[in-house]
Amino acid sequence: MMLAESWMQSLIAAVAMVASSLPGAPAPEAPARVTAPPDGWVASWGVAVTQAGPTGPSATGVRNTTIRQVAHLSLGGGSIRIRLSNRFGKQPLVVGASSVAPRKGGAGTPNLELLKSVPVTYGGRAAVTIPVGAESVSDPIDLPIGNDSDVVISTYFPGPTGPLTQHPAGYASAFSAAGNQTRAGGAPYKKIPGMARFVLSGVDVKTSSEGAIVLFGDSITDGASSPVDGNLRYPDQLADRLTKRRYAVVNAGIGGNRLLVNGGVSGEAAIARFERDVVRRSGVRAVVILEGINDIRAGKGSISGAQLINAHRQLIARAHAAGLRVYGATLTPYWAADHYTVGGEVARQALNQWIRTSGEYDGYLEFEHAVRDPYQPLRLAPGYDGGDHLHPNARGFKAMAYAADLNLLTS
């Protein structure tokens, strides 16, 4: 269906009026250039965690079970360390044993290079108890690993654990086995239904690098419509470009996440989780923010561009206060998606115009233009549409990754 020309003209006029009426704010002073991580540790992989889901291991917890997960690293290094989170647990979480190893065989399998499996310690001990609301970081693990490589992490929970902190949509397979199978091959393991991550929240590597860039957002950053175990989200494909410049990339997207409202398994509001998911990452240098489309859709036309912009200003201020460079990403089209409204379109266009022209961000990534239909620019290009008119497919994610100016991101 072609959009009526008169309706388009009215929309453009409305966007111009909204944008022109937005309160101005002086552009924050850009932070000084951040140097490379002083201790050599940089976040090479990570997820943003949420409360337990309504079903599955996150809801019920586990007992006498090993969970095996695969982390696809952006940068490799000579040593790694893992991060385990009990942020949303209901009781102290006991980890009885852990191991790490390079992955062996095809994607979506629990196999590892058994002879290279290394036990993990925490403060010199194999077991660790993580308090409610806390995170535990392992001791350094001597495990040389290459760029763009998979590391297999096996964690034994004697249990009962109670509900587990999770990342609901990791777009990767996880596996479980009865008992302590941290040093076993793949045979004892069975695939866990779904694609969630459990407890594992990050992997740092020790290497010569320029630092990490965190990609912060909602389901589009998280990788909705991406093939499971394919590592084809836009952050994965951008990481493939940035590792050549010695930058690591961390995906801090959560499906359904909103700027201002907590959402259960959709995560805490962006302004509430920003410090944990961005600032506290090892060696972080910069952050890209792609947030707001869920606020627009949930508002069904009631949210304004000014409300979205004010939320983005809070994130900019927090990034700059931490000495990080911060880049805005224009919201991609959502015409014909569920909860599309003309009022929501006006808000989206107003936010995008502000991101491009205000100068308050240190720069911006033009994702809207990268994936929109040139003939009907309010919608995703058909070849990039994941099927729901909201989420790009793997080809669309590639277009987004290649729309990013690497010179800007690494300045």
Side-chain angles (χ1 to χ4, degrees):
M1 179 186 299
M2 296 297 292
L3 298 174
E5 183 177 354
S6 60
W7 189 88
M8 285 284 290
Q9 291 173 343
S10 298
L11 176 62
I12 292 169
V15 170
M17 181 176 66
V18 170
S20 66
S21 66
L22 293 173
E29 183 178 350
R33 178 179 170 85
V34 182
T35 57
D39 62 358
W41 286 106
V42 61
S44 184
W45 176 89
V47 294
V49 297
T50 77
Q51 68 183 46
T55 60
S58 71
T60 62
V62 297
R63 181 174 186 170
N64 190 29
T65 298
T66 304
I67 294 180
R68 177 164 288 179
Q69 301 173 86
V70 179
H72 184 70
L73 304 188
S74 49
L75 277 186
S79 300
I80 70 171
R81 62 189 184 190
I82 64 173
R83 295 178 176 270
L84 305 178
S85 177
N86 193 29
R87 169 68 181 84
F88 295 98
K90 303 298 184 182
Q91 63 189 52
L93 179 66
V94 177
V95 176
S98 310
S99 70
V100 298
R103 184 177 64 81
K104 179 181 180 180
T109 71
N111 300 325
L112 49 75
E113 294 191 37
L114 197 57
L115 295 180
K116 295 183 179 180
S117 179
V118 181
V120 179
T121 59
Y122 307 84
R125 298 183 177 183
V128 64
T129 299
I130 310 173
V132 173
E135 179 184 69
S136 183
V137 183
S138 76
D139 298 329
I141 305 156
D142 185 13
L143 183 71
I145 195 86
N147 297 343
D148 195 29
S149 295
D150 291 338
V151 62
V152 177
I153 297 141
S154 306
T155 313
Y156 172 60
F157 301 99
T161 62
L164 294 172
T165 295
Q166 64 158 355
H167 177 78
Y171 295 92
S173 300
F175 309 87
S176 66
N180 181 357
Q181 302 289 350
T182 55
R183 305 301 301 278
Y189 286 88
K190 295 182 179 180
K191 186 174 180 179
I192 299 173
M195 52 185 176
R197 302 282 190 176
F198 306 99
V199 179
L200 180 66
S201 60
V203 179
D204 299 340
V205 300
K206 192 163 190 178
T207 187
S208 174
S209 78
E210 295 293 328
I213 298 176
V214 178
L215 306 182
F216 185 78
D218 49 42
S219 56
I220 295 176
T221 299
D222 202 13
S225 297
S226 179
V228 174
D229 298 315
N231 299 314
L232 292 173
R233 313 162 192 85
Y234 110 73
D236 297 315
Q237 299 194 62
L238 181 56
D240 291 340
R241 301 181 66 207
L242 282 165
T243 52
K244 298 173 184 177
R245 301 198 180 197
R246 301 303 300 164
Y247 278 83
V249 171
V250 173
N251 185 336
I254 304 176
N257 196 235
R258 293 165 64 177
L259 285 163
L260 298 170
V261 178
N262 292 335
V265 295
S266 296
E268 295 170 304
I271 60 172
R273 69 184 182 92
F274 189 79
E275 182 177 354
R276 180 180 69 250
D277 289 339
V278 177
V279 176
R280 295 179 190 172
R281 302 283 185 180
S282 299
V284 61
R285 286 275 308 275
V287 55
V288 175
I289 297 173
L290 177 63
E291 280 270 15
I293 197 65
N294 289 319
D295 300 80
I296 290 171
R297 295 173 67 236
K300 298 180 181 179
S302 66
I303 195 165
S304 69
Q307 289 172 289
L308 298 172
I309 288 167
N310 286 335
H312 276 255
R313 282 176 170 154
Q314 291 186 53
L315 298 178
I316 292 170
R318 293 183 185 192
H320 283 167
L324 306 180
R325 297 190 66 80
V326 56
Y327 305 99
T330 54
L331 300 188
T332 53
Y334 81 117
W335 182 71
D338 288 345
H339 308 305
Y340 180 88
T341 62
V342 174
E345 184 63 46
V346 170
R348 184 181 75 90
Q349 295 282 356
L351 175 62
N352 283 353
Q353 183 166 331
W354 174 82
I355 288 171
R356 295 181 184 109
T357 63
S358 70
E360 295 186 42
Y361 273 111
D362 297 315
Y364 70 93
L365 281 64
E366 187 52 87
F367 287 163
E368 178 188 29
H369 292 174
V371 297
R372 73 183 184 183
D373 185 341
Y375 302 104
Q376 297 187 42
L378 298 187
R379 74 175 188 179
L380 287 171
Y384 293 156
D385 192 334
D388 61 3
H389 313 303
L390 174 66
H391 298 100
N393 57 23
R395 289 182 58 206
F397 287 142
K398 181 176 182 179
M400 292 170 64
Y402 278 83
D405 181 347
L406 299 192
N407 291 329
L408 173 70
L409 292 177
T410 61
S411 62

